[in-house]
């Protein structure tokens, strides 16, 4: 009798490894957010983190993280901006301006600005020029050429480091915020027009220098500055005088972003609050307008280092690793679930792989991999019990990567004998040997030239073949032999732009390989004959998870708008069940889930079951049961035992959802009777964060 | 008192004459100053009384006879000696310079790659265009890593040996860059988390809510599990050993 997943004697493997990993300082897929940049044309958000990773979120595809550029130890990004349409630039403390290639998913080039560490960067309103503010006080102008950037000239050099920059919308003037003062430059001549001294403290004296964290230049000549004393100040750039001063926080105000229409802006403070300022008329029918602080939002616990203002939402990110997107109710036209707050905390891709035969889990961190053996229990109990472990989870291996680059992807073979992982420039393949309780690792030294950087790695079910999706778009099949390997075939990339990171899936019998990521749709290759078999019709939302079922060879695809398709590979068409689901549509609560499905798996003996999970729930779809209509309850907990069979049958539907384990990082079937689930409690993440601002509460 | 005009005074006097504007007067002054400062006379150090005594002695004796020929011979000797020393110095300097040049050439040779690779480079560059393009496509990432000026060198080497990748950096630049980066990071850390900022620990922050509940709860991270790990490990080992010992002894 199947009920919501509780039939499996789920060993609640709350892997103690996840907890211990945090104390060592390694975070599985979480680093603080340093900068965000919003691109209006494509409705995409570029987010850079403190470990150097730059992620691209597609805000119209249900806020899905479609691409990312792996970080580098020396690349501490301090500024990020879009320029010339769709080109992404970042600058950091190593003094280099980096351009990212959004098609090849790597760094195009890094150009040294020769001014020391770069603190701020902004693009001109026309998009053809780039301005950087450096440590030595110089403001440098670069011309953006079709394939590179070229240094044009320096502006007047200032005494202290330039921490923030802003162009006037007409492109004639620039405001630069430094320590204790703000300068206004004329772009044509490069000379300072005004130098406006900022008070160190609002109506007071202070020894600490006032750092101007952000400036914004409006088209009427007003310069808005936010500084470390907690003030938001309005300056008149024509006369160089202070117009208005607001004290909004007891701590630093660290970021500012102005809307395109210049009628609202948002600032973020170190206390985790963001404030929305709007330009409102003084009285209801007067022409005179003034800036009023309208809404505070407290969605963060730590410093909000960066904010962005899209036409309909306020976006903020900070040290507490959450990305918060708050749609503004007055700007949203249709008041549906789209207008709800979105908080992106968990990674949108799978960072854990599992070896079912040996019960091992491989965790991918930024600079190292950890291999854990699951604990076991001999006790038995009823459904819903938590059983004590008789043998604890074992930390088998801590594999540190060489070099400063972050790990992009990793995988362990199902038999547990091979581990493969890749950084941006190197590919590593290691062989594991097990003797009794000991484990030894041997690295395969000679890697072929074409295997440099992989976006996705997958082992076949029998662990004889390795599938690698390289960042040039090609797919490589490598045959694994005893101590070495042999390159079998390379599938060249088809035409089509790269939409998202490549995802791979292989059928358990080893004959089919599915790959997603381009605008052409999911491609299915015949591994035995080494040719392209078919292409699933393209869908306008990116794929978040892929898997091929064991006997039926049905390809199950999950998209970022929470649609799930089932495509039969031998028949080259969607299955009956998939067509039925599409006709009826999914339950509205299913479509309103926040987090994307990151993993799909199957039960070896039950072909009618599909097991999938996202961050807050896991679900077993039973294809033999009827689909729920919009009126029925989607999350139906176990009905009490004394209910009649009829009632139970009436409320039973195909989607068996369980929310007992959350937040889920990974869930898979180990064998017929065991599930492994890896949770990542938010408290553990918060425990590793840097210190927040002190809040004084009455009574504590 | 007979005052022999010493030869050495000529050169310094002329130098000073070149510097000063009024020549005749200064020459006299120079002479006076020099005569007073002459080490051979020693008049500056000794008191006046001794001088007068010395003078008396000199007055009694007859002056030395010095023929013109001997003086000329002496002068010529001196000149010869001076010329010799100058020549010797010149040759020594020449030799030194020669040796240095050779040393530099040797060092340069050592720095350069062995001849075999240089040969390969020259031949490769002649036919390299096609290979170049192919390799560029394959190894785009590597080019970005090296600094701009060294880009060409990196690419050339790669066209020969396919399996290696080179990143050419000048260490001097790297040190300066690192120190500046560290200074910048220290600035940011100081301004955000340094003294004067109002920061608290994460534990205290999360426990604020617990303290205000109607039933007060403990802090969010009440237990410090990282405390005394070494002690706990030692205790575990000891316990295991003790258990083994206990299990062994009753059998005896």
């Amino acid at each position: 009798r199947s009920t919501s997943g509780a039939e499996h004697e789920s060993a609640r493997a709350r892997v103690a490894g996840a907890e211990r990993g945090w104390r060592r300082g390694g975070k599985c897929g979480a680093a603080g957010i340093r900068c965000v940049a919003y691109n209006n044309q494509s409705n995409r958000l570029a987010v850079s983190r403190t470990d150097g990773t730059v992620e691209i979120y597609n805000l119209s595809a249900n806020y899905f993280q479609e691409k990312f550029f792996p970080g580098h130890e020396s690349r501490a990004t301090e500024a990020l901006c879009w320029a010339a349409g769709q080109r992404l630039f970042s600058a950091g403390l190593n003094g280099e301006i980096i351009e990212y290639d959004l098609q090849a998913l790597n760094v195009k080039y890094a150009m040294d600005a020769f001014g020391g560490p770069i603190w701020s960067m902004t693009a001109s309103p026309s998009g053809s020029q780039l301005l950087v503010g450096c440590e030595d006080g110089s403001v440098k102008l670069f011309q953006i050429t079709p394939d590179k950037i070229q240094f044009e000239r320096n502006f007047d050099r200032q005494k202290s480091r330039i921490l923030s920059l802003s162009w006037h919308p007409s492109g004639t003037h620039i405001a630069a915020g430094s320590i204790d003062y703000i300068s206004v430059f004329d772009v044509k001549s490069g000379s300072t027009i005004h130098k406006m001294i900022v008070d160190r403290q609002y109506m007071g004296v202070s020894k600490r220098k006032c750092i101007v964290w952000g400036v914004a230049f409006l088209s009427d000549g007003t310069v808005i500055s936010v500084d470390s004393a907690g003030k938001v100040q309005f300056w008149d750039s024509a006369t160089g005088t202070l117009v208005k001063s607001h004290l909004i926080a007891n701590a630093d105000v660290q970021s500012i972003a102005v809307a395109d229409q210049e009628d609202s802006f948002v600032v973020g403070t170190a206390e985790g609050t963001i404030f929305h300022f709007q330009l409102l008329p003084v009285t209801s029918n007067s022409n005179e307008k003034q800036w009023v602080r309208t809404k505070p939002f407290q969605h963060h616990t730590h410093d909000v280092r960066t904010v962005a203002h899209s036409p309909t939402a306020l976006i903020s990110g900070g040290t507490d690793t959450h990305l918060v997107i708050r749609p503004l109710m007055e700007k949203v036209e249709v008041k549906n679930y789209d207008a709800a707050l979105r908080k992106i905390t968990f990674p949108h891709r799978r960072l854990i792989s599992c070896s079912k035969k040996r019960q091992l889990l491989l965790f991918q961190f930024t600079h190292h991999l950890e291999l854990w053996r699951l604990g076991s229990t001999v006790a038995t109990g009823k459904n819903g019990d938590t059983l004590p472990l008789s043998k604890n989870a074992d930390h088998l291996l801590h594999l540190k990567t060489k070099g400063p680059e972050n790990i992009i992807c990793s995988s362990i073979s199902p038999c547990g004998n091979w581990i493969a992982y890749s950084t941006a420039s190197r590919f590593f393949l290691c062989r594991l040997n097990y003797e009794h309780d000991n484990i030894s690792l041997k690295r395969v030294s000679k890697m072929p030239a074409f295997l440099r950087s992989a976006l996705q790695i997958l082992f076949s079910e029998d662990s004889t073949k390795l599938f690698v999706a390289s960042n040039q778009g090609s797919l490589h099949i490598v045959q694994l032999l005893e101590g070495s390997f042999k390159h079998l075939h390379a599938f060249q990339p088809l035409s089509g732009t790269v939409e998202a990171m490549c995802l791979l899936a292989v059928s358990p019998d080893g004959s089919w390989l599915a790959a997603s990521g381009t605008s052409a749709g999911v491609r299915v290759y015949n591994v035995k004959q080494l040719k392209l078999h078919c292409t699933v019709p393209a869908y306008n939302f990116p794929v978040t998870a892929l898997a091929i079922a064991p006997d039926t060879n049905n390809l199950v695809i999950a998209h970022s708008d929470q649609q799930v398709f089932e495509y039969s590979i031998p028949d080259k068409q969607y299955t009956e069940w998939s067509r039925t689901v599409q006709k009826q549509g999914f339950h509205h609560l299913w479509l309103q889930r926040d987090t994307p499905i990151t993993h799909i798996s199957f039960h070896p003996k039950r072909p009618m079951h599909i097991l999938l999970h996202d961050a807050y729930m896991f679900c077993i779809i039973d294809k033999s049961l009827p689909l729920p209509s919009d009126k029925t309850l989607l999350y139906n907990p176990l009905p009490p035992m004394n209910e009649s069979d009829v009632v139970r049958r009436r409320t039973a539907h195909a989607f068996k959802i369980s929310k007992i384990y959350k937040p889920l990082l990974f869930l898979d079937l180990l064998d017929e009777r065991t599930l492994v689930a890896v949770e990542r409690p938010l408290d553990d993440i918060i425990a590793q964060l840097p210190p927040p601002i002190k809040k004084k509460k009455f009574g504590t | 008192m007979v005052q022999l005009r010493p030869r050495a005074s000529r050169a310094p006097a002329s130098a000073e004459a070149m510097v000063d504007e009024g020549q005749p007067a200064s020459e006299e002054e120079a002479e006076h100053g020099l005569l007073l400062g002459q080490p051979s006379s020693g008049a500056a150090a000794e008191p006046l009384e001794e001088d007068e005594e010395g003078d008396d002695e000199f007055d009694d004796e007859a002056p030395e006879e010095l023929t013109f020929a001997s003086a000329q011979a002496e002068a010529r000797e001196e000149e010869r000696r001076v010329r010799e020393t100058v020549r010797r110095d010149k040759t020594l300097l020449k030799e030194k310079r020669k040796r240095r040049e050779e040393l530099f050439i040797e060092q340069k040779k050592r720095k350069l790659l062995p001849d075999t690779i240089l040969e390969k480079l020259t031949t490769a560059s002649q036919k390299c265009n096609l290979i170049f393009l192919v390799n560029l496509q394959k190894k785009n990432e590597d080019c970005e890593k090296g600094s701009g000026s060294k880009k060409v060198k990196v690419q050339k080497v790669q066209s020969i040996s396919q399996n290696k990748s080179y990143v050419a950096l000048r260490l001097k630049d790297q040190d300066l860059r690192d120190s500046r980066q560290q200074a910048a990071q220290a600035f940011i850390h100081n301004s955000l988390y340094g003294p004067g900022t109002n920061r608290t620990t994460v534990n205290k922050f999360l426990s604020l809510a617990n303290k205000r509940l109607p039933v007060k709860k403990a802090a969010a991270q009440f237990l410090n599990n990282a405390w005394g790990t070494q002690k706990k490990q030692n205790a575990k080992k000891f316990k295991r050993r003790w258990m083994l010992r206990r299990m062994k002894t009753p059998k005896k």
Side-chain angles (χ1 to χ4, degrees):
Chain A
R1 184 180 284 151
S2 61
T3 49
S4 60
E7 182 183 22
H8 303 282
E9 189 181 277
S10 42
R12 183 184 178 149
R14 185 205 167 111
V15 185
E19 280 186 50
R20 274 181 237 162
W22 310 145
R23 283 202 204 97
R24 271 192 213 104
K27 297 168 203 153
C28 209
I33 295 178
R34 180 60 191 89
C35 313
V36 290
Y38 176 72
N39 185 330
N40 206 348
Q41 268 181 334
S42 54
N43 201 16
R44 280 179 166 78
L45 187 71
V47 173
S48 88
R49 296 197 180 246
T50 50
D51 61 359
T53 326
V54 174
E55 299 162 350
I56 313 270
Y57 288 84
N58 189 344
L59 298 187
S60 35
N62 205 18
Y63 307 95
F64 177 63
Q65 178 198 312
E66 39 172 39
K67 300 176 194 173
F68 75 97
F69 299 91
H72 196 274
E73 242 171 28
S74 65
R75 284 213 292 258
T77 329
E78 284 289 320
L80 194 65
C81 76
W82 294 92
Q86 299 293 322
R87 294 169 74 168
L88 183 62
F89 295 90
S90 83
L93 293 182
N94 60 355
E96 290 178 344
I97 302 176
I98 298 170
E99 180 171 359
Y100 295 92
D101 188 341
L102 291 162
Q103 285 303 307
L105 294 175
N106 59 3
V107 168
K108 234 190 213 171
Y109 57 83
M111 171 173 276
D112 200 330
F114 296 108
I118 300 177
W119 289 100
S120 51
M121 181 165 70
T122 179
S124 70
S126 61
S128 57
Q129 289 174 316
L130 206 61
L131 202 68
V132 293
C134 307
E135 165 91 355
D136 58 357
S138 57
V139 179
K140 296 177 194 282
L141 187 66
F142 285 83
Q143 189 75 26
I144 302 179
T145 60
D147 48 331
K148 262 208 154 191
I149 55 173
Q150 204 176 14
F151 175 70
E152 212 179 286
R153 58 192 162 97
N154 269 340
F155 285 15
D156 269 359
R157 192 159 150 176
Q158 302 295 301
K159 278 209 212 95
S160 32
R161 37 179 76 97
I162 309 285
L163 288 160
S164 45
L165 285 173
S166 174
W167 281 82
H168 187 268
S170 67
T172 50
H173 292 81
I174 284 166
S178 184
I179 303 180
D180 279 337
Y181 65 88
I182 303 168
S183 338
V184 179
F185 292 89
D186 174 46
V187 176
K188 241 196 187 120
S189 63
S191 56
T192 339
I193 302 181
H194 291 297
K195 186 168 161 176
M196 313 187 288
I197 311 283
V198 179
D199 290 333
R200 284 195 176 174
Q201 195 176 330
Y202 185 73
M203 312 265 265
V205 188
S206 167
K207 265 200 287 188
R208 294 198 90 218
K209 293 196 182 152
C210 184
I211 302 169
V212 180
W213 289 115
V215 280
F217 217 137
L218 301 180
S219 37
D220 60 355
T222 322
V223 174
I224 313 172
S225 75
V226 291
D227 55 38
S228 59
K231 322 196 281 293
V232 173
Q233 291 179 310
F234 295 85
W235 307 79
D236 180 15
S237 65
T239 54
T241 53
L242 177 64
V243 173
K244 193 109 202 294
S245 189
H246 295 259
L247 178 70
I248 58 170
N250 282 332
D252 314 32
V253 181
Q254 293 178 334
S255 44
I256 179 169
V258 182
D260 285 332
Q261 292 98 334
E262 298 194 355
D263 57 356
S264 80
F265 68 86
V266 60
V267 294
T269 68
E271 291 167 337
T273 333
I274 60 174
F275 291 98
H276 187 203
F277 280 74
Q278 283 175 291
L279 190 65
L280 300 171
V282 177
T283 55
S284 52
N285 48 6
S286 85
N287 280 338
E288 196 188 322
K289 291 194 173 185
Q290 69 172 7
W291 287 100
V292 179
R293 183 184 72 171
T294 48
K295 298 186 272 287
F297 295 106
Q298 178 85 36
H299 296 303
H300 296 271
T301 52
H302 287 67
D303 309 26
V304 178
R305 299 294 303 277
T306 177
V307 283
H309 200 309
S310 82
T312 54
L314 304 179
I315 302 161
S316 58
T319 331
D320 60 353
T321 77
H322 304 308
L323 178 69
V324 173
I325 299 156
R326 185 83 188 79
L328 294 168
M329 297 311 278
E330 63 259 24
K331 298 268 169 68
V332 171
E333 273 129 34
V334 182
K335 308 268 193 285
N336 60 5
Y337 189 70
D338 283 338
L341 173 77
R342 301 302 291 262
K343 204 168 181 181
I344 300 172
T345 316
F346 298 102
H348 282 182
R349 56 197 183 106
R350 195 161 54 102
L351 294 171
I352 299 174
S353 33
C354 174
S355 157
K356 296 185 185 176
K357 206 174 101 177
R358 286 192 197 264
Q359 311 220 329
L360 301 171
L361 283 178
L362 183 71
F363 291 86
Q364 177 187 323
F365 294 85
T366 34
H367 287 288
H368 68 275
L369 298 171
E370 284 189 9
L371 187 65
W372 288 79
R373 183 188 291 136
L374 293 172
S376 56
T377 179
V378 292
T380 52
K382 306 193 308 293
N383 279 336
D385 281 353
T386 307
L387 305 167
L389 288 174
S390 57
K391 187 169 164 221
N392 269 331
D394 222 352
H395 185 192
L396 291 179
L397 198 65
H398 179 108
L399 189 61
K400 209 168 170 327
T401 178
K402 282 189 233 178
E405 291 168 336
N406 293 4
I407 300 177
I408 303 179
C409 54
S410 64
S411 184
I412 184 170
S413 65
C415 66
N417 285 333
W418 298 92
I419 286 183
Y421 65 99
S422 165
T423 64
S425 59
R426 296 181 72 181
F427 186 88
F428 298 87
L429 182 62
C430 310
R431 184 148 176 99
L432 294 169
N433 288 316
Y434 301 87
E435 297 141 27
H436 308 292
D437 265 340
N438 292 341
I439 183 171
S440 64
L441 185 83
K442 187 169 171 296
R443 214 190 105 204
V444 177
S445 43
K446 282 273 179 216
M447 277 291 126
F450 56 82
L451 266 186
R452 299 309 298 282
S453 156
L455 292 179
Q456 188 71 265
I457 304 172
L458 187 66
F459 285 92
S460 63
E461 281 296 313
D462 52 3
S463 307
T464 53
K465 293 209 187 74
L466 174 65
F467 305 99
V468 179
S470 77
N471 67 344
Q472 265 89 21
S474 48
L475 267 179
H476 298 276
I477 304 182
V478 174
Q479 183 167 16
L480 299 171
L481 306 162
E482 212 14 69
S484 63
F485 58 88
K486 191 176 85 164
H487 179 229
L488 280 184
H489 191 74
F491 291 111
Q492 291 308 318
L494 297 175
S495 62
T497 54
V498 171
E499 296 284 313
M501 299 293 282
C502 183
L503 286 174
L504 293 177
V506 66
S507 65
D509 58 2
S511 28
W512 309 105
L513 174 69
S516 74
T518 58
S519 57
V522 178
R523 315 182 299 277
V524 181
Y525 295 93
N526 188 329
V527 177
K528 299 270 163 60
Q529 294 171 2
L530 296 177
K531 64 180 180 72
L532 177 70
H533 177 73
C534 60
T535 313
V536 180
Y539 189 65
N540 47 353
F541 285 91
V543 175
T544 64
L546 268 187
I548 303 182
D551 296 310
T552 51
N553 278 334
N554 288 339
L555 174 65
V556 180
I557 313 170
H559 288 274
S560 69
D561 62 343
Q562 316 294 7
Q563 293 286 334
V564 179
F565 293 98
E566 197 188 20
Y567 186 86
S568 167
I569 297 178
D571 300 336
K572 294 193 193 179
Q573 58 176 0
Y574 288 106
T575 60
E576 270 306 311
W577 180 80
S578 185
R579 284 179 215 270
T580 327
V581 170
Q582 287 306 304
K583 223 189 310 176
Q584 186 172 337
F586 282 90
H587 196 278
H588 68 275
L589 285 180
W590 176 268
L591 295 174
Q592 282 173 7
R593 282 180 304 112
D594 272 351
T595 46
I597 295 171
T598 47
H599 187 54
I600 303 174
S601 59
F602 304 92
H603 193 286
K605 294 283 166 57
R606 300 201 188 111
M608 299 305 271
H609 283 193
I610 304 175
L611 171 71
L612 32 79
H613 80 90
D614 69 5
Y616 293 110
M617 66 101 205
F618 76 90
C619 173
I620 298 180
I621 301 181
D622 192 340
K623 289 188 279 183
S624 56
L625 290 178
L627 296 167
S629 64
D630 255 359
K631 295 193 207 71
T632 51
L633 270 176
L634 185 65
Y635 305 112
N636 52 346
L638 212 59
M641 295 304 270
N642 48 9
E643 284 282 334
S644 66
D645 260 344
V646 178
V647 173
R648 204 176 288 142
R649 246 180 280 138
R650 226 187 290 150
T651 54
H653 59 72
F655 288 75
K656 313 252 174 259
I657 298 179
S658 167
K659 293 193 170 187
I660 10 176
Y661 309 126
K662 55 179 177 183
L664 261 181
L665 210 54
F666 177 73
L667 184 137
D668 202 353
L669 269 162
L670 272 186
D671 52 42
E672 289 170 36
R673 296 180 59 78
T674 330
L675 268 178
V676 61
V678 180
E679 288 177 321
R680 189 152 152 270
L682 272 173
D683 291 337
D684 279 359
I685 310 174
I686 297 181
Q688 290 290 311
L689 295 175
I693 294 277
K694 187 173 189 172
K695 283 211 177 118
K696 188 82 189 75
K697 293 253 191 228
F698 180 75
T700 55
Chain B
M1 186 173 101
V2 177
Q3 288 184 352
L4 295 165
R5 189 183 169 136
R7 272 191 112 71
S9 68
R10 195 173 294 258
S14 56
E16 279 211 1
M18 283 197 305
V19 168
D20 295 342
E21 275 168 9
Q23 281 194 8
S26 62
E27 246 181 80
E28 284 174 351
E29 282 180 26
E31 263 184 85
H32 276 290
L34 282 163
L35 287 168
L36 282 171
Q38 279 301 318
S40 47
S41 64
E46 289 162 20
L48 282 163
E49 296 87 49
E50 274 186 286
D51 236 275
E52 279 173 87
E53 282 176 354
D55 279 342
D56 286 329
E57 281 181 6
F58 270 124
D59 277 348
D60 285 333
E61 286 180 3
E64 280 181 30
E65 227 192 278
L66 216 67
T67 55
F68 180 68
S70 62
Q72 204 183 37
E74 242 187 80
R76 276 208 210 113
E77 276 279 335
E78 275 238 33
E79 259 180 64
R80 197 171 49 86
R81 250 183 272 136
V82 167
R83 255 185 277 140
E84 285 266 349
T85 45
V86 165
R87 209 192 311 143
R88 238 182 288 132
D89 283 336
K90 269 200 195 155
T91 45
L92 271 169
L93 253 171
K94 244 193 188 171
E95 267 191 55
K96 232 191 182 175
R97 256 184 264 141
K98 232 190 195 173
R99 257 185 272 137
R100 268 187 138 194
E101 282 272 346
E102 283 174 7
L103 181 67
F104 286 158
I105 293 172
E106 238 197 273
Q107 282 183 342
K108 229 186 178 176
K109 253 200 175 160
R110 259 187 267 148
K111 261 190 166 177
L112 286 178
L113 300 164
D115 285 330
T116 47
I117 299 188
L118 282 174
E119 266 181 43
K120 271 195 190 170
L121 269 175
T122 45
T123 51
S125 62
Q126 282 160 15
K127 52 162 171 148
C128 80
N129 280 326
L130 273 171
I131 308 171
F132 212 63
L133 285 170
V134 170
N135 283 334
L136 264 180
Q137 280 169 20
K138 279 191 195 168
K139 291 152 181 53
N140 257 329
E141 315 104 69
D142 296 313
C143 303
E144 289 140 23
K145 273 187 256 143
S147 56
S149 57
K150 303 276 190 271
K151 221 180 191 175
V152 182
K153 267 194 200 156
V154 175
Q155 288 175 352
K156 269 193 175 169
V157 177
Q158 282 174 346
S159 64
I160 298 167
S161 44
Q162 292 221 349
N163 280 336
K164 301 186 195 136
S165 60
Y166 293 86
V167 177
L169 288 170
R170 258 184 75 189
L171 283 178
K172 232 198 286 181
D173 292 341
Q174 196 60 30
D175 278 341
L176 176 64
R177 204 191 272 190
D178 282 342
S179 67
R180 275 168 128 180
Q181 199 171 344
Q182 273 178 4
Q185 278 168 346
F187 162 73
I188 266 262
H189 191 264
N190 236 1
S191 47
L192 287 178
Y193 300 105
T197 52
N198 200 12
R199 300 270 171 183
T200 177
T201 61
V202 174
N203 186 17
K204 286 191 191 159
F205 187 77
L206 294 176
S207 314
L208 276 178
N210 286 353
K211 288 192 192 181
R212 293 181 54 131
L213 291 173
V215 181
K216 312 271 182 274
K217 290 203 308 196
Q221 287 171 333
F222 189 66
L223 290 174
N224 184 3
N225 287 331
W227 177 87
T229 40
Q230 190 58 37
K231 275 190 181 176
K232 285 185 190 164
Q233 270 181 2
N234 291 346
K236 224 179 9 174
K237 275 191 216 161
F238 177 78
K239 189 165 108 179
R240 214 181 334 141
R241 258 183 269 146
W242 188 84
M243 296 283 285
L244 283 173
R245 240 187 297 149
R246 271 298 296 269
M247 285 183 8
K248 274 190 199 163
T249 39
K251 284 179 186 170
K252 285 181 188 170

